[in-house]
């Protein structure tokens, strides 16, 4: 592959028709070189071209909605610079995230401080840097904003009583009007409202219709109080998997139709969204090494406690147990951040002879590398028989891997190598 270098990124450019499997095999085939001791370490292949394709998909289906990329999903500077080059804003939740995007050249007015509860020093930092757009959902937050940053532009984060939404954030229906009234009394600027659907893989697209329709009444209430509300933030949670059970277009259609009905252009409301997983998930591929293996034979080997994430449901059949150099701490902790990231697929075995037929698959268990007894990726799956030293590749690993992983037990978060199709050089140079 052709090497591309700029002051901010070094990556490999691939030609049309090249597959990720071919790229991964190219990167692992030199593992027998004796002078290199790190070639069996795990790594992430990140396809920047996939991110650009997702952005094109958004522009084609929801051109009227401006996106503010959720930094928490992947705070990699290379990814952030790409989003900046694509003209996107940023959803930040802390002083550090704000500083990170400012450091790459983002304008303060292209940032939303999307955390309803803010540490006071972080709020002061936002004021110092000119980041004025931010969310809130409580009286206490309003009083702090009044004291620290009275010029802020506030967006009310909503939680709808009719839905089983997480209770950590969001103002309930019964509190909306009193809270807007307090903001008016304090002389604060409430410029809009936001919501976050979450768990999008299990939500009917019609929920977006319900949310947008419901939010229309919030705008009417706010404007009735004299608040200049002209911003609607529909949040994130849009599907980002390569083969999502419910394609993005289904949600885009629902959102577009709901906006046309409830927020027509005549209302003068700007609409934004905060996608993260949508942009990043399918762009990442995790390559890991099989460190060791052993055969577990129920009834013959010592009994294994199923609560430790082991071979349940084996029906007495032998199970191949494989120990990988990635696990729940350094690569898979993202599945605890948002249930959308729990849908990992069984990895593919990277061998030159290609995929193995289903008849050769055997009951297997994939363990992580640490000494923690619950460090298990799949307690039951079907895999071809593997050998120590083999490589496997996980798909849809571009979201919440590097941002939520840690180096517990000395097994670090895998490094990232970047690839992109040759035809996006122009975007990469921005």
């Amino acid at each position: 592959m052709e090497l591309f270098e700029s002051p901010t990124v070094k990556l490999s450019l691939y030609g049309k028709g090249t597959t990720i499997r071919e790229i991964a095999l190219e990167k692992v085939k030199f593992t027998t070189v004796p002078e290199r001791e790190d070639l069996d370490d795990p790594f992430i292949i990140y396809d920047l071209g996939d991110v650009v394709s997702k952005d094109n998909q958004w522009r084609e289906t929801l051109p009227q909605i401006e996106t503010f990329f959720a930094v928490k999903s992947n705070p990699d500077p290379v990814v952030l610079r790409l989003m900046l080059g694509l003209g996107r804003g940023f959803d930040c939740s802390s002083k550090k995230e704000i500083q990170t995007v400012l450091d790459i050249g983002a304008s303060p007015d292209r940032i939303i401080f999307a955390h309803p509860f803010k540490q006071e020093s972080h709020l002061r930092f936002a004021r110092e840097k000119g980041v004025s757009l931010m969310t809130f959902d409580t009286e206490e937050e309003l009083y702090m904003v009044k004291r620290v940053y009275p010029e802020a532009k506030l967006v009310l984060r909503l939680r709808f009583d009719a839905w089983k939404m997480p209770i950590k954030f969001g103002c309930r229906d019964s509190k909306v009007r009193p809270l807007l009234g307090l903001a008016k009394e304090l002389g604060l600027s409430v410029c809009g409202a936001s919501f976050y659907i979450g768990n999008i893989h299990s939500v009917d697209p019609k929920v977006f219709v319900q949310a947008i329709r419901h939010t229309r009444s919030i705008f009417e209430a706010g404007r009735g109080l004299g608040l200049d509300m002209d911003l609607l933030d529909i949040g994130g949670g849009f599907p980002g998997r390569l083969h999502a059970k419910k394609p993005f277009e289904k949600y885009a259609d629902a959102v577009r139709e709901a906006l046309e009905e409830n927020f027509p252009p005549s209302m003068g409301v700007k609409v934004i969204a905060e996608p993260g997983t949508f942009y990043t998930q399918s762009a990442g591929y995790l390559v890991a090494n099989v460190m060791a293996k052993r055969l577990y034979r129920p009834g013959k080997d010592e009994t294994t406690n199923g609560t430790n994430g082991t071979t349940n449901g084996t029906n007495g059949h032998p199970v191949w147990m494989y120990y990988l150099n990635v696990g729940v701490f350094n690569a898979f902790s993202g599945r605890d951040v948002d249930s959308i990231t729990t849908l990992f697929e069984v990895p593919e075995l990277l061998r030159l002879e290609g995929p193995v037929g289903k008849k050769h698959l055997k009951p297997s268990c994939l363990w992580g590398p640490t000494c923690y007894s619950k460090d298990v990726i799949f307690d039951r799956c079907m895999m071809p028989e593997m050998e120590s030293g083999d490589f496997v590749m996980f798909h849809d690993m571009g979201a919440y891997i590097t941002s939520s992983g840690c180096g517990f037990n000395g097994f670090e978060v895998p490094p990232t190598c970047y690839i992109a199709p040759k035809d996006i050089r122009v975007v990469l140079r921005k």
Side-chain angles (χ1 to χ4, degrees):
M1 290 187 293
E2 179 183 342
L3 185 65
F4 174 91
E5 290 188 77
S6 75
T8 58
V9 65
K10 178 179 179 181
L11 54 81
S12 299
L13 297 176
Y14 59 85
K16 187 176 181 180
T18 305
T19 66
I20 297 296
R21 179 183 177 82
E22 291 170 342
I23 294 171
L25 283 169
E26 181 70 21
K27 290 183 177 295
V28 304
K29 75 178 184 179
F30 298 111
T31 56
T32 57
V33 180
E35 61 269 24
R36 290 288 303 276
E37 298 180 354
D38 62 339
L39 284 174
D40 56 354
D41 285 347
F43 59 92
I44 297 169
I45 299 174
Y46 201 87
D47 185 4
L48 300 180
D50 187 86
V51 178
V52 174
S53 295
K54 289 291 187 64
D55 190 63
N56 290 336
Q57 184 182 22
W58 187 284
R59 292 178 190 275
E60 291 170 2
T61 55
L62 294 172
Q64 74 276 42
I65 301 179
E66 185 178 345
T67 60
F68 284 65
F69 174 66
V71 175
K72 62 182 177 289
S73 72
N74 194 326
D76 187 314
V78 174
V79 176
L80 297 180
R81 287 191 182 97
L82 177 59
M83 299 307 302
L84 183 66
L86 292 171
R88 296 310 190 178
F90 297 94
D91 155 18
C92 300
S93 296
S94 65
K95 173 182 175 180
K96 184 174 182 179
E97 288 189 348
I98 292 174
Q99 185 65 68
T100 297
V101 299
L102 289 175
D103 287 345
I104 65 167
S107 173
D109 63 1
R110 302 289 294 150
I111 299 171
I112 179 170
F113 195 169
H115 197 310
F117 300 100
K118 290 168 279 294
Q119 187 173 319
E120 184 169 324
S121 59
H122 292 207
L123 183 59
R124 293 185 184 279
F125 177 81
R127 183 182 186 185
E128 174 189 335
K129 298 299 182 180
V131 177
S132 60
L133 188 62
M134 60 189 66
T135 58
F136 78 102
D137 63 10
T138 62
E139 293 181 0
E140 288 78 4
E141 188 75 3
L142 284 178
Y143 285 120
M144 184 173 70
V145 170
K146 175 65 176 179
R147 183 177 71 253
V148 176
Y149 196 175
E151 318 92 81
K153 299 177 181 178
L154 301 174
V155 178
L156 176 60
R157 171 76 176 262
L158 303 171
R159 178 167 66 91
F160 303 115
D161 295 336
W163 303 343
K164 294 180 180 179
M165 299 183 72
I167 64 172
K168 186 173 184 178
F169 300 119
C171 175
R172 298 182 60 182
D173 291 347
S174 61
K175 300 291 184 180
V176 167
R177 284 166 178 76
L179 201 56
L180 292 176
L182 177 61
K184 176 68 175 179
E185 180 182 330
L186 294 174
L188 298 174
S189 174
V190 178
C191 65
S194 71
F195 60 81
Y196 178 71
I197 298 298
N199 300 336
I200 202 70
H201 67 276
S202 60
V203 170
D204 190 300
K206 291 181 180 179
V207 172
F208 267 111
V209 177
Q210 298 169 11
I212 292 171
R213 181 181 298 130
H214 184 85
T215 306
R216 167 68 183 261
S217 65
I218 308 301
F219 274 73
E220 292 173 347
R223 289 181 172 185
L225 291 171
L227 297 171
D228 188 15
M229 296 181 65
D230 59 6
L231 179 69
L232 171 62
D233 181 355
I234 65 172
F238 295 92
R241 291 170 58 83
L242 186 61
H243 302 292
K245 291 183 178 180
K246 298 176 183 177
F248 169 70
E249 288 79 9
K250 293 283 188 181
Y251 299 94
D253 290 344
V255 168
R256 187 171 54 254
E257 292 171 7
L259 290 176
E260 290 173 355
E261 176 186 350
N262 299 281
F263 289 91
S266 59
M267 278 195 68
V269 174
K270 176 182 177 180
V271 184
I272 68 172
E274 301 167 0
T277 297
F278 167 76
Y279 275 115
T280 61
Q281 189 170 22
S282 62
Y285 300 81
L286 174 64
V287 178
N289 187 257
V290 179
M291 304 190 307
K293 62 182 286 191
R294 70 169 176 171
L295 186 63
Y296 169 70
R297 296 166 298 177
K300 295 184 179 180
D301 296 330
E302 55 226 12
T303 302
T304 311
N305 185 350
T307 61
N308 284 340
T310 54
T311 56
N312 292 320
T314 62
N315 296 322
H317 297 296
V319 177
W320 281 106
M321 299 170 63
Y322 299 102
Y323 300 79
L324 309 184
N325 53 5
V326 295
V328 300
F329 293 97
N330 66 339
F332 290 88
S333 57
R335 62 183 174 185
D336 296 322
V337 173
D338 188 329
S339 62
I340 191 173
T341 59
T342 61
L343 301 178
F344 296 115
E345 293 183 357
V346 175
E348 63 173 299
L349 177 60
L350 290 176
R351 285 180 181 166
L352 291 175
E353 59 267 27
V356 177
K358 290 185 178 181
K359 66 179 181 180
H360 297 293
L361 302 180
K362 299 180 180 180
S364 305
C365 173
L366 303 184
W367 295 92
T370 70
C371 296
Y372 184 50
S373 61
K374 294 184 180 180
D375 186 4
V376 60
I377 306 167
F378 288 102
D379 62 357
R380 177 70 190 276
C381 62
M382 300 298 290
M383 292 286 298
E385 185 174 346
M386 300 188 291
E387 303 298 335
S388 298
D390 276 339
F391 285 87
V392 295
M393 182 169 67
F394 295 86
H395 295 242
D396 293 313
M397 297 293 289
Y400 296 101
I401 303 303
T402 58
S403 59
S404 63
C406 69
F408 175 67
N409 224 170
F411 294 93
E412 300 293 339
V413 176
T416 301
C417 58
Y418 307 95
I419 62 172
K422 293 180 179 180
D423 58 4
I424 69 166
R425 282 189 180 91
V426 175
V427 176
L428 298 174
R429 288 195 175 96
K430 291 184 179 181

